Amino acid sequence: MSEEKNEKDKKNDEMMRKVRLLPDFVYDALLINEGISANSEIIEKYELNDEQKDKMLDLNLNIIFKELAIENLSDSIEQNLKVNKETASQITLDLFLKKFYLAASYFPGIEDEILRLGGEIPKEKPKKLGEQLLKREEEMDRIKEEEKRAEAERMADTIISKSVDELLKEFPIVGNQQIGSQESITLKTKPEPMKPLIKYWLEDYKEKMGYYNHSNIERVQYVYHDKNTKNMNEEERRQLNLILKSADEKIPLPYSTKSKKIDFSRIE
């Protein structure tokens, strides 16, 4: 039973692989929308039984996947559905007119086959392969332009590595970078709560811990046990610790001239 299931899964996977390789306009026209309705209409019209229905649908897929030439469809329907030659020709003509002509440019020679079977070329304009290819080319051009623009922006980004004190002197906007998602922090020197910005974190740190270079233990004490940091997550604490360590030990931090921020993602 397991082997049968595996075999069935393999067949389904293979069919889906083939479906993904189809042009979009073929998939849209033949495997959904009008194509489904055409199948149902033909099955009902010729009163096909379950076995004949399954055989016809299989032949449909063979045509769509180009595993069976359209000029051989009538003979295949006659043999597989076990119907007479005239009925096979009528089913084939209906399939050409009601289904496959919806994507006529995908089937070279379909108009000749329609005429050979005694039908008339539909007046309704089928979906064009050229239109689909043009749409895809336009989409590819758009994607390439976006990639070029992204690459240009990436190249325009310069990373400057300096201590937080040096960055604040050269790029004062660094002081306005927020560290932490809390709404505010309280400082002894401020009459009201302030946003958790780098400049205020440094001010609060120095006011509470002293205006000198601190040890790792002192920084950890502040980062993990101060009332302003109690609701921070680990990534926010990491960022704050790096800022404070840079102030204490002058370690360089990567400043992005593009985002105008310290890029913590570049620091392991």
Side-chain angles (χ1 to χ4, degrees):
M1 191 70 177
S2 178
E3 291 182 4
E4 290 179 5
K5 184 177 183 300
N6 289 337
E7 188 62 29
K8 185 177 180 181
D9 289 342
K10 287 180 182 178
K11 288 182 180 179
N12 287 337
D13 290 343
E14 177 61 15
M15 188 181 75
M16 293 309 299
R17 183 188 69 80
K18 293 176 182 177
V19 168
R20 286 193 292 269
L21 294 174
L22 292 173
D24 290 346
F25 83 107
V26 175
Y27 175 81
D28 291 344
L30 304 185
L31 294 179
I32 57 176
N33 301 329
E34 301 101 321
I36 297 295
S37 300
N39 286 339
S40 300
E41 188 178 335
I42 292 169
I43 289 167
E44 183 177 349
K45 178 179 177 179
Y46 294 95
E47 298 180 346
L48 302 181
N49 60 39
D50 288 343
E51 183 179 356
Q52 288 174 317
K53 178 184 72 174
D54 291 342
K55 294 285 187 182
M56 191 196 78
L57 294 177
D58 286 342
L59 290 173
N60 269 243
L61 291 175
N62 290 339
I63 291 289
I64 292 171
F65 296 145
K66 297 295 183 78
E67 297 168 345
L68 176 65
I70 57 173
E71 56 266 26
N72 296 329
L73 179 57
S74 183
D75 289 341
S76 296
I77 286 178
E78 182 182 353
Q79 293 169 12
N80 286 273
L81 274 63
K82 295 180 172 55
V83 295
N84 60 46
K85 196 173 203 62
E86 183 180 352
T87 302
S89 295
Q90 287 302 314
I91 293 175
T92 302
L93 181 58
D94 278 345
L95 282 170
F96 285 159
L97 293 173
K98 297 176 180 178
K99 181 167 185 173
F100 296 125
Y101 194 74
L102 295 169
S105 58
Y106 184 67
F107 302 107
I110 191 171
E111 292 186 351
D112 293 337
E113 285 300 305
I114 290 172
L115 295 173
R116 184 180 68 81
L117 293 169
E120 295 182 2
I121 306 303
K123 294 180 180 179
E124 183 181 351
K125 189 177 180 182
K127 297 185 179 181
K128 295 288 187 182
L129 176 60
E131 293 173 0
Q132 181 67 22
L133 291 177
L134 179 61
K135 183 178 178 182
R136 286 193 173 189
E137 287 175 0
E138 291 174 348
E139 180 67 12
M140 289 302 296
D141 288 342
R142 184 186 65 79
I143 292 173
K144 287 179 181 178
E145 284 300 318
E146 288 181 356
E147 289 176 347
K148 287 181 182 179
R149 188 160 51 249
E151 178 67 11
E153 290 177 357
R154 187 185 68 79
M155 294 300 291
D157 188 13
T158 301
I159 301 300
I160 297 173
S161 293
K162 292 185 177 182
S163 71
V164 67
D165 290 334
E166 292 174 309
L167 289 175
L168 285 168
K169 289 178 183 177
E170 190 170 347
F171 307 101
I173 196 172
V174 168
N176 293 325
Q177 182 172 343
Q178 183 167 326
I179 305 294
S181 55
Q182 63 265 57
E183 186 176 341
S184 62
I185 58 176
T186 56
L187 284 75
K188 292 180 180 179
T189 56
K190 305 294 181 186
E192 58 185 30
M194 308 301 292
K195 287 186 176 181
L197 308 181
I198 286 178
K199 59 185 177 183
Y200 296 133
W201 279 118
L202 288 171
E203 185 176 338
D204 185 55
Y205 177 60
K206 291 174 182 177
E207 278 290 330
K208 290 175 178 174
M209 307 303 291
Y211 287 83
Y212 56 86
N213 294 341
H214 307 90
S215 66
N216 282 332
I217 293 177
E218 289 174 311
R219 277 196 301 277
V220 169
Q221 179 67 27
Y222 178 81
V223 170
Y224 279 88
H225 301 291
D226 188 83
K227 64 179 181 179
N228 282 331
T229 66
K230 63 180 180 180
N231 293 323
M232 298 179 81
N233 61 39
E234 284 306 306
E235 174 57 24
E236 292 167 348
R237 293 181 198 277
R238 182 183 81 93
Q239 293 179 12
L240 178 59
N241 184 62
L242 287 167
I243 292 294
L244 302 182
K245 187 172 184 179
S246 180
D248 284 331
E249 302 178 11
K250 310 305 177 190
I251 64 167
L253 299 174
Y255 173 77
S256 166
T257 58
K258 176 184 172 184
S259 66
K260 295 181 172 54
K261 290 181 178 181
I262 294 171
D263 187 353
F264 291 99
S265 67
R266 295 177 177 270
I267 308 173
E268 294 184 0

